[in-house]
Amino acid sequence: MTSNIVATAQDLTQQKLYPWKSKSGLIGFCDQHNQVKIKPQFEDASLFTNDFSVVQKGGKNGVIDQTGAIKLDFDYDRIELVAIGKETLAITRKTYNAWWKIQNWKIFPGFSIMGGTRDKRWFDTDVPSINWKVISLRNNQTIINSNHQPNEYPYPSSGIYSFQDKVLINDQLYQISKEEIQPDCHNVTAIFSNATLLQKKGNTYTLLDQHLKPLNDDIFKIPALITVEVNGYIQEIQTERIDAGIRVKLNFMQNQDQYVFIYPYLNKHFPKKIDPYFDQKIAASSIFEHASMISSVPNSPYFIIRSNVKNKSAFYILHQNGTWESDRKKTKDFIISSNGGKLMYPDASELGIEGALPNNFNIKRVEHTRANKSWFLVTGNRQNSTDMRSGIFDNDSQNWILPMEYVSLSELTAYPNLWRFELQNESDFKKKKYGLIDVSTKKITVSPQYNSLDASAKAGIFNGEKWEYFYINPLTGTAYKE
């Protein structure tokens, strides 16, 4: 599959048709029993997102439905499908030459101060540009149509969210009706889990309810700094600063009554008065002075602060009444992960992982899994070795679901219990062998035989000269090909 076809199935268990590869190399679609339903005719194809699949002909991409009918002609360099409930949006990209933009022509394109060029043209009139569209596939309505430079990506799927009968694209909210999708409300910067929106007006922010009416009288701003009383003394905490050469940004927001909140949880006040820290060796003021992260823990009265006090990075738990929490049992279920998925809190020792490791093993990374709230993916290596190994640890039972014996482990998109695994360490990616294992039963569903295997169960085999790609049934191992 080329990178220009991007469509992730919402649930592989509900897929009715799968891309099926014929001996000719052309791709059609089959059912889960390998019976061909749409004849092979495409150069490439994706899984279905709702009722639609991205397919390729003549090096260009289009969209078909589950009957094989063409919904978008083969006219695009790239198409990405995004499911918004039952709605399916296509984000399309098409390159064209904006030759009429004379100001962007290159003068003497072959000129070189070293000489020797054969290019004698006065002008290079090629002005590469990209046309981006967001299209509703229900009725082929073009919602957005705009032109950009080749290095711009204005409509990432990560910037599209659903909100009841609405969809948020970047900061524009659209209303979805039976007939069409229409612009509804602009400058919406966030959708919160309690069905409220955050709208920006100039330098201020307002909360809106599900009917797009102001939720209350609060008007929020992002302050340059806030002031708190720490152990009887006023302390200023900057929203942004440079600490040891690293840019630190704290997500403070403040309303018109000077109450402080931590975005995105704007319903819990940050304390104005803060007690001394319970460990007298650590000053509460130092915790704030060196804080690199302050987060509000959802559905709790706590805030969690990461700070580098006395050259040691640690987490500190603050109650909204201004007291510090010393009993970690009360906060054992808090899970804080970085944007990249790495577990930040609690640490491996508090989870019991360090005590369960093989001898002389160093932990490099811990990640929370989707499969089970008490399961953690652990990656590390033995001392004096760069050979990485991974396993899955159960915090509740304090046992290994999968031992630290795997070269790599990763979840499948639509099957949280099915994990891609690799047993042998092979530096040449063309010689790697991947399989699938059900971590709930520890049963191998697909033996390690594929040189590549992605999160949507698309397998690849390198035959010594070229790659062959096709989809497999992750539960049975059946290859969807002739």
Side-chain angles (χ1 to χ4, degrees):
M1 178 181 291
T2 68
S3 60
N4 292 324
I5 288 183
V6 185
T8 302
Q10 297 305 290
D11 187 349
L12 289 178
T13 61
Q14 296 181 11
Q15 287 279 306
K16 296 179 181 179
L17 297 177
Y18 302 83
W20 183 87
K21 191 167 189 176
S22 67
K23 289 182 179 179
S24 68
L26 293 177
I27 296 174
F29 287 86
C30 69
D31 61 19
Q32 61 180 337
H33 304 296
N34 244 344
Q35 297 298 310
V36 177
K37 299 299 181 180
I38 299 175
K39 68 177 184 179
Q41 56 191 290
F42 308 112
E43 297 160 6
D44 203 352
S46 75
L47 289 167
F48 278 88
T49 298
N50 288 337
D51 292 325
F52 304 99
S53 169
V54 182
V55 290
Q56 187 178 92
K57 272 187 178 181
K60 293 293 185 179
N61 299 308
V63 174
I64 63 169
D65 63 18
Q66 296 212 35
T67 69
I70 297 173
K71 298 297 292 184
L72 289 183
D73 287 333
F74 298 91
D75 199 30
Y76 302 97
D77 305 326
R78 174 186 170 93
I79 299 178
E80 181 173 4
L81 300 187
V82 181
I84 303 295
K86 295 182 179 181
E87 287 284 333
T88 309
L89 302 181
I91 305 173
T92 68
R93 170 179 165 167
K94 182 177 180 181
T95 303
Y96 67 97
N97 179 22
W99 57 266
W100 56 88
K101 295 183 179 180
I102 299 175
Q103 70 276 13
N104 293 332
W105 289 4
K106 294 179 181 178
I107 302 175
F108 301 117
F111 175 77
S112 170
I113 59 173
M114 301 299 294
T117 181
R118 295 182 178 179
D119 192 340
K120 304 298 184 181
R121 292 178 300 161
W122 287 74
F123 300 102
D124 182 354
T125 60
D126 288 338
V127 184
S129 297
I130 306 292
N131 176 249
W132 288 83
K133 291 181 181 179
V134 178
I135 302 170
S136 170
L137 292 178
R138 172 163 52 99
N139 54 10
N140 277 26
Q141 176 197 353
T142 298
I143 304 168
I144 297 173
N145 186 348
S146 60
N147 300 310
H148 297 266
Q149 297 298 316
N151 59 347
E152 296 178 342
Y153 293 86
Y155 305 109
S157 59
S158 58
I160 298 180
Y161 306 92
S162 61
F163 177 71
Q164 298 177 355
D165 57 349
K166 300 176 177 61
V167 58
L168 180 64
I169 304 177
N170 292 343
D171 61 354
Q172 175 68 57
L173 195 68
Y174 295 84
Q175 174 71 46
I176 302 173
S177 68
K178 292 182 179 180
E179 293 77 24
E180 58 185 357
I181 299 176
Q182 289 291 336
D184 198 345
C185 184
H186 66 283
N187 291 336
V188 175
T189 61
I191 298 175
F192 297 143
S193 59
N194 62 348
T196 58
L197 305 169
L198 189 66
Q199 184 181 37
K200 185 177 182 181
K201 296 182 178 180
N203 294 322
T204 65
Y205 297 81
T206 305
L207 286 170
L208 305 179
D209 64 17
Q210 57 184 324
H211 305 295
L212 307 183
K213 303 296 183 183
L215 186 68
N216 50 42
D217 295 330
D218 281 338
I219 298 176
F220 299 92
K221 289 186 177 181
I222 298 176
L225 56 84
I226 68 165
T227 58
V228 293
E229 184 180 319
V230 182
N231 195 19
Y233 294 92
I234 297 298
Q235 182 172 357
E236 294 183 345
I237 307 174
Q238 293 181 322
T239 300
E240 294 189 42
R241 71 177 194 280
I242 302 296
D243 190 0
I246 299 175
R247 181 175 177 266
V248 175
K249 183 177 181 180
L250 304 176
N251 294 324
F252 291 126
M253 296 192 79
Q254 193 170 41
N255 69 4
Q256 72 276 14
D257 297 322
Q258 304 305 303
Y259 283 107
V260 174
F261 305 83
I262 305 296
Y263 178 87
Y265 302 102
L266 304 181
N267 56 357
K268 183 169 64 180
H269 298 165
F270 192 73
K272 292 185 176 182
K273 292 185 178 182
I274 298 168
D275 289 352
Y277 193 64
F278 58 81
D279 183 349
Q280 295 182 356
K281 296 179 182 179
I282 298 175
S285 57
S286 294
I287 295 174
F288 290 111
E289 182 181 353
H290 300 288
S292 60
M293 181 197 80
I294 301 179
S295 294
S296 178
V297 181
N299 304 315
S300 85
Y302 293 103
F303 298 90
I304 187 166
I305 303 170
R306 187 180 190 183
S307 185
N308 190 31
V309 179
K310 297 181 179 180
N311 295 320
K312 181 181 179 181
S313 182
F315 285 93
Y316 303 87
I317 309 298
L318 178 67
H319 195 281
Q320 68 179 117
N321 65 11
T323 62
W324 298 93
E325 184 58 70
S326 60
D327 186 358
R328 289 298 173 100
K329 292 181 180 179
K330 294 182 180 180
T331 61
K332 64 181 179 64
D333 294 328
F334 294 176
I335 301 295
I336 305 294
S337 298
S338 69
N339 291 335
K342 184 177 181 180
L343 184 71
M344 300 173 66
Y345 179 88
D347 61 27
S349 61
E350 291 174 311
L351 289 171
I353 297 174
E354 287 187 347
L357 284 172
N359 292 333
N360 302 319
F361 224 89
N362 299 316
I363 294 177
K364 295 297 183 182
R365 185 179 178 90
V366 179
E367 299 174 61
H368 199 214
T369 71
R370 292 186 297 116
N372 189 301
K373 68 177 183 179
S374 68
W375 291 2
F376 295 86
L377 172 63
V378 183
T379 302
N381 62 325
R382 294 189 183 277
Q383 294 179 9
N384 303 318
S385 172
T386 59
D387 192 11
M388 305 299 289
R389 287 291 184 269
S390 295
I392 298 177
F393 184 78
D394 183 6
N395 180 43
D396 284 348
S397 67
Q398 293 289 290
N399 290 313
W400 292 96
I401 301 299
L402 294 179
M404 294 285 290
E405 297 176 357
Y406 297 85
V407 173
S408 66
L409 285 167
S410 60
E411 293 174 288
L412 256 63
T413 301
Y415 290 90
N417 282 329
L418 285 181
W419 286 61
R420 185 190 74 171
F421 72 91
E422 181 185 9
L423 287 173
Q424 301 298 321
N425 191 6
E426 177 57 67
S427 58
D428 186 348
F429 70 94
K430 296 176 182 177
K431 296 180 180 179
K432 287 180 174 290
K433 298 292 185 182
Y434 294 105
L436 293 176
I437 185 170
D438 187 327
V439 295
S440 62
T441 64
K442 300 183 182 179
K443 178 183 177 182
I444 293 177
T445 63
V446 177
S447 61
Q449 57 187 292
Y450 296 112
N451 303 126
S452 71
L453 186 59
D454 69 16
S456 63
K458 186 176 186 180
I461 294 178
F462 186 72
N463 63 12
E465 296 181 357
K466 63 180 182 178
W467 284 90
E468 179 188 6
Y469 294 102
F470 49 87
Y471 284 93
I472 64 172
N473 185 321
L475 296 174
T476 65
T478 301
Y480 292 123
K481 66 173 185 173
E482 189 173 13

